[in-house]
Amino acid sequence: MLSLPTAYCAACIVGVEGSLQQLPGVRSARVNLTLKRATIEADHDVEPQELADFLTSIGYEAYELDTGVLSSTATEKSSRDLLMRMGVAGFGMMNVMLLSVAVWSGATDATRDLFHWVSAAISLPIVAFSGQPFFKSAWASLRVRRLNMDVPISLALILASSISIYETANSGRHAYFDAAIMLTFFLLAGRYLDHRTRAVARSAAEELAALEVPRAHRVLADGREEVVSVNEIAVGDLVRVVPGARVPVDGMVEEGESEVDRSLLTGESLPVFAGPGEMLSAGEVNLTGPLLIRVAAAGKDTSLHRMADLVAMAETSRNRYTSLADQAAKLYSPLVHILALSAFLAWLWISAGDVRLSINIAVATLIITCPCALGLAVPAVTTAVSGKMFRQGMLLKSATATERLAQVDHVVFDKTGTLTEGKPRLDNIGDHTAEDLAVALALAQGSSHPLAQAIVNATQGEGIRAARISDAKEVPGHGIEAVWSGQPVRLGRAEWLGAKGIDRTATYLKIGKRPAVAFTFTDNLREGAAEAVASLKKQGMKVTLISGDAHAAVQDVAFRLGIEDYRAAMLPEDKVAAVEALSAEGRQVLMVGDGLNDTAALAAAHVSISPATALEATRVVSDIVLLGRSLEPIGGSVALSRSATKRIRENFGISAGYNVIAVPIALVGFATPLAAALAMSLSSITVSLNALRLKG
Amino acid sequence: MNVLVYLIPISILLGGVGLAAFFWTLKTQQYDDPDGDAHRILRDEWDDAPPED
């Protein structure tokens, strides 16, 4: 299974499938353009990574997906199941409606009875089959002595069907078969929309997770290396981590020297030295030299996973949130039941004991108030809003995230990797002589270290040519040394050069016996960060910056973005405490962060956003994932979610409005099956149209 | 009105045929890749139905 993020056209299908099938060992290849994936059947010895590289080389960007993480089959099955029930209900509805039209337009006596019997024969089995999701959910909630939206639905379906049979058997005038089956169809439509929105979000989230195929290079006793899945690594194994790779396990360095980037775990932007005896945690990135690590903890025991405990504690606060739909159901269910029951009792008293008439009126009340529109009110809007957000590059993972996002009045940002790219930029190029810069460029060219790369980019941007050096050698963990016009030159850490370090992200250049000069760096702001902060402030929200990084670096970023409230050197627990303190003040906090150190704070916040570059553990706890590089959509998303919540409320208002008109009619006994059918379809259509008016 | 005796079964039968067709489309996974299918139908070369997996 490969992911093809850039496939979009018919030519891509032909190109990918055709070229894959010409490869040796590939049996079949099939592109799914909707999911942007390719499923390939191949012989056992064909490596997925090779296929992905091959596709990328011919112009179709491709990544390997870990099939174990994709559980799409279960989701697909239940979605297909819902679609089938909806299809059946739709089929029955059309047939029964045709028969009902005849009854409404004045069929009498034997004809009417015949039509009623035919309707019964069609609708009873179909309601029993298609209504199962509602019956099951209603039963589950009744068993724990609670009322949800499905209880009145199920009750209405069962009562309407039974009273209609009774009426038909007694040649009565009104039968509600059409209403029962129509209700099933509309409600299933709402349920299906809801399910699809969530399935799309879940499959996209799973795909992000499946993109990180966790592999490790295990070194065997005889010195050979093998590539294994991280799950197979045991404590005590030796693992090799090449420069540029993420450390897959917790462990101690046995051999080799390098620098590691801890920014995802702690928020520190300055790389840390790692040599024999140093402890490393899973998730850190090895920068310069190869390291041999003795595994201390792997898989579920790594510090990465232990962070989950902190998250679980923080998350309980969020579970207390009741969605708008639940609030409406809580209000609605008892009200409807009381109404129907009182209608029954009142008519029993008025008609002096005519049970048949009283039940008829009670059922009419139940059907007319039935939450057709209520059932569609939320799914229609969520479908519209998640589609809009997806096009803006935001993946809505939680169903209630929109509602919660709409309430936000305080935004907390993390610095490293969120507001900044985590990529340094040389900022004091003007302080150096052209000669120094030329030497620095020559030294830096040979290294893949981020600071070296930053020097290369900056100096080449100034049009500087590299000096001629010889014997260049990278000393992993320390820097690069070489010989330039007969004197030794070194570029690297302060301690290695014997220079005095300054309190900034910096690297140092020493030429011969001259004192070392410092190259200082600032972190590049992420694209759209300034726009997002400005737009949030314009909407009247407070913005806070909380980072685990050193004070100077945090202050600099806060100053550049115009954030007055910033806190530096915060531990993960401090971040949670800060978010919780804001919530205690009555603020609804939106937390935006990417690091593992933000994870608990993300879970504690009212609603949370993380970029796609974040670790999987972080993406799991956040409600919204930013798919693109830019932060800009955050500004608009709050406005969009406010508009969506407004639409949901309007939809509740509309369905309540229909009820205000229809219920009195039903209560006084004028409701006919025709009136019920009209009220139901009209309200459902208005609600769906209203959802489509969503702006943003 | 005797015409109803065979018209109603016929109409239900026709509806049933439609329903059976719908089941068939579900079973052969024709709703899995709507975007891709929209493009595939315009292609010159013969393209078999999606593989059952």
Side-chain angles (χ1 to χ4, degrees):
Chain A
M1 188 91 80
L2 299 177
S3 163
L4 304 162
T6 54
Y8 62 92
C9 59
C12 303
I13 303 180
V14 185
V16 171
E17 288 180 358
S19 49
L20 276 177
Q21 260 149 9
Q22 281 159 17
L23 287 184
V26 175
R27 281 200 292 269
S28 77
R30 179 90 190 168
V31 175
N32 185 326
L33 206 60
T34 314
L35 294 171
K36 301 207 184 306
R37 282 184 197 154
T39 314
I40 297 151
E41 260 183 73
D43 293 338
H44 219 66
D45 55 337
V46 177
E47 283 289 324
Q49 192 54 50
E50 287 169 20
L51 297 178
D53 290 345
F54 167 73
L55 281 183
T56 310
S57 73
I58 58 169
Y60 304 104
E61 203 183 328
Y63 302 99
E64 182 189 352
L65 287 175
D66 184 3
T67 35
V69 184
L70 297 168
S71 65
S72 51
T73 38
T75 342
E76 257 168 43
K77 216 174 145 209
S78 63
S79 136
R80 214 175 288 161
D81 182 64
L82 264 181
L83 189 62
M84 184 176 65
R85 289 179 201 279
M86 196 173 97
V88 172
F91 154 80
M93 185 179 82
M94 284 186 273
N95 280 296
V96 173
M97 269 307 153
L98 281 179
L99 295 165
S100 294
V101 169
V103 177
W104 293 337
S105 38
T108 48
D109 307 327
T111 320
R112 189 177 61 203
D113 285 350
L114 172 70
F115 279 21
H116 278 168
W117 279 120
V118 176
S119 309
I122 298 172
S123 66
L124 286 181
I126 289 181
V127 168
F129 170 72
S130 295
Q132 268 171 28
F134 307 113
F135 299 145
K136 273 186 197 142
S137 146
W139 177 240
S141 107
L142 276 181
R143 257 209 319 225
V144 292
R145 294 164 186 284
R146 297 219 344 232
L147 283 179
N148 66 1
M149 203 73 118
D150 290 329
V151 176
I153 292 172
S154 307
L155 196 69
L157 287 181
I158 293 170
L159 268 180
S161 306
S162 15
I163 191 74
S164 303
I165 296 179
Y166 178 79
E167 284 290 313
T168 311
N170 288 299
S171 310
R173 281 191 57 208
H174 296 322
Y176 289 98
F177 293 118
D178 52 347
I181 202 163
M182 195 169 169
L183 195 61
T184 322
F185 176 74
F186 276 131
L187 289 170
L188 276 174
R191 201 63 52 108
Y192 179 68
L193 277 184
D194 201 37
H195 189 88
R196 251 186 61 119
T197 322
R198 272 185 231 186
V200 167
R202 198 177 312 127
S203 102
E206 271 174 359
E207 180 155 334
L208 281 178
L211 275 172
E212 294 163 7
V213 184
R215 294 254 166 82
H217 294 260
R218 180 158 64 188
V219 182
L220 299 173
D222 58 2
R224 282 187 301 123
E225 261 184 52
E226 58 173 2
V227 180
V228 292
S229 146
V230 167
N231 304 331
E232 292 170 32
I233 299 277
V235 174
D237 282 353
L238 267 182
V239 169
R240 186 182 300 282
V241 184
V242 296
R246 193 162 275 173
V247 180
V249 290
D250 285 4
M252 198 178 71
V253 180
E254 285 270 301
E255 231 182 275
E257 285 183 333
S258 177
E259 281 183 306
V260 291
D261 176 1
R262 305 208 143 133
S263 59
L264 269 178
L265 276 77
T266 60
E268 295 167 70
S269 50
L270 196 61
V272 191
F273 174 77
E278 298 274 333
M279 288 303 291
L280 295 181
S281 316
E284 297 175 347
V285 178
N286 183 10
L287 293 177
T288 42
L291 291 172
L292 211 55
I293 298 173
R294 178 75 65 189
V295 179
K300 298 266 173 272
D301 301 323
T302 57
S303 51
L304 232 158
H305 277 90
R306 266 181 279 134
M307 196 65 105
D309 300 340
L310 201 55
V311 172
M313 264 161 26
E315 229 170 14
T316 46
S317 66
R318 191 185 294 166
N319 293 340
R320 285 200 292 270
Y321 181 80
T322 35
S323 69
L324 283 173
D326 289 345
Q327 283 175 25
K330 222 184 256 170
L331 252 169
Y332 172 88
S333 314
L335 194 71
V336 169
H337 291 150
I338 291 168
L339 259 180
L341 187 69
S342 48
F344 173 72
L345 292 176
W347 276 94
L348 205 58
W349 181 67
I350 294 171
S351 62
D354 187 347
V355 179
R356 185 172 160 192
L357 176 73
S358 313
I359 291 189
N360 253 318
I361 286 173
V363 168
T365 316
L366 258 185
I367 291 180
I368 277 200
T369 55
C370 217
C372 237
L374 240 51
L376 276 172
V378 179
V381 176
T382 2
T383 308
V385 78
S386 63
K388 274 223 161 77
M389 284 207 171
F390 197 76
R391 276 193 292 278
Q392 290 177 6
M394 300 175 86
L395 176 65
L396 211 58
K397 279 179 54 205
S398 150
T400 56
T402 352
E403 293 168 27
R404 283 183 277 132
L405 189 58
Q407 298 169 347
V408 162
D409 55 6
H410 198 124
V411 187
V412 175
F413 281 103
D414 165 50
K415 184 183 79 77
T416 324
T418 307
L419 283 177
T420 64
E421 287 187 318
K423 281 199 193 116
R425 186 168 55 89
L426 183 63
D427 66 347
N428 68 342
I429 193 163
D431 299 353
H432 300 287
T433 60
E435 194 181 78
D436 285 358
L437 288 174
V439 175
L441 169 61
L443 286 167
Q445 266 175 346
S447 170
S448 61
H449 191 285
L451 294 186
Q453 289 297 316
I455 291 180
V456 172
N457 288 340
T459 46
Q460 283 183 341
E462 294 282 307
I464 288 164
R465 302 270 298 276
R468 194 180 283 266
I469 55 169
S470 56
D471 299 333
K473 188 174 76 179
E474 183 158 15
V475 186
H478 296 290
I480 310 147
E481 60 182 358
V483 178
W484 173 69
S485 12
Q487 42 189 341
V489 286
R490 278 180 168 187
L491 179 73
R493 300 179 77 86
E495 308 89 72
W496 187 53
L497 273 67
K500 208 165 98 30
I502 51 173
D503 180 29
R504 294 273 313 263
T505 308
T507 188
Y508 304 85
L509 174 72
K510 194 175 166 83
I511 299 177
K513 298 253 180 301
R514 279 185 13 215
V517 287
F519 287 84
T520 57
F521 300 89
T522 44
D523 215 348
N524 250 342
L525 287 181
R526 192 186 268 265
E527 202 185 311
E531 288 86 349
V533 170
S535 138
L536 288 171
K537 281 179 126 182
K538 214 170 125 197
Q539 292 172 52
M541 270 171 268
K542 286 228 159 72
V543 179
T544 305
L545 177 62
I546 298 186
S547 174
D549 207 356
H551 189 267
V554 180
Q555 187 179 31
D556 175 55
V557 169
F559 181 73
R560 274 194 280 167
L561 289 171
I563 300 174
E564 290 90 17
D565 185 10
Y566 59 89
R567 297 167 211 181
M570 301 285 273
L571 295 173
E573 299 82 38
D574 297 339
K575 289 196 177 193
V576 182
V579 168
E580 277 170 355
L582 284 171
S583 316
E585 283 171 32
R587 299 237 159 230
Q588 308 291 357
V589 181
L590 161 66
M591 170 87 199
V592 189
D594 79 316
L596 204 59
N597 58 331
D598 303 314
T599 310
L602 286 169
H606 194 52
V607 55
S608 49
I609 302 181
S610 68
T613 48
L615 284 178
E616 198 213 328
T618 314
R619 288 196 310 259
V620 167
V621 295
S622 51
D623 301 302
I624 299 172
V625 175
L626 279 174
L627 296 170
R629 292 215 46 77
S630 173
L631 278 183
E632 209 180 342
I634 293 182
S637 71
V638 179
L640 180 62
S641 64
R642 288 208 172 133
S643 151
T645 315
K646 209 173 125 211
R647 292 279 167 271
I648 293 180
R649 285 182 197 284
E650 277 173 14
N651 277 349
F652 284 142
I654 291 173
S655 33
Y658 273 103
N659 280 342
V660 166
I661 302 169
V663 169
I665 300 178
L667 285 180
V668 295
F670 288 134
T672 57
L674 176 63
L678 274 179
M680 225 183 278
S681 24
L682 271 181
S683 62
S684 301
I685 291 168
T686 352
V687 162
S688 311
L689 286 181
N690 189 45
L692 291 178
R693 289 201 304 137
L694 192 69
K695 280 192 205 83
Chain B
M1 288 306 243
N2 287 334
V3 69
L4 285 176
V5 174
Y6 49 88
L7 273 187
I8 288 179
I10 288 176
S11 78
I12 292 178
L13 189 80
L14 285 177
V17 170
L19 192 65
F22 173 69
F23 280 150
W24 173 74
T25 59
L26 268 180
K27 227 179 125 185
T28 48
Q29 315 185 346
Q30 300 191 22
Y31 298 95
D32 282 7
D33 183 15
D35 290 357
D37 294 337
H39 286 295
R40 277 174 205 279
I41 199 168
L42 298 175
R43 257 163 55 172
D44 292 337
E45 55 207 276
W46 164 249
D47 194 352
D48 208 351
E52 312 234 351
D53 49 343

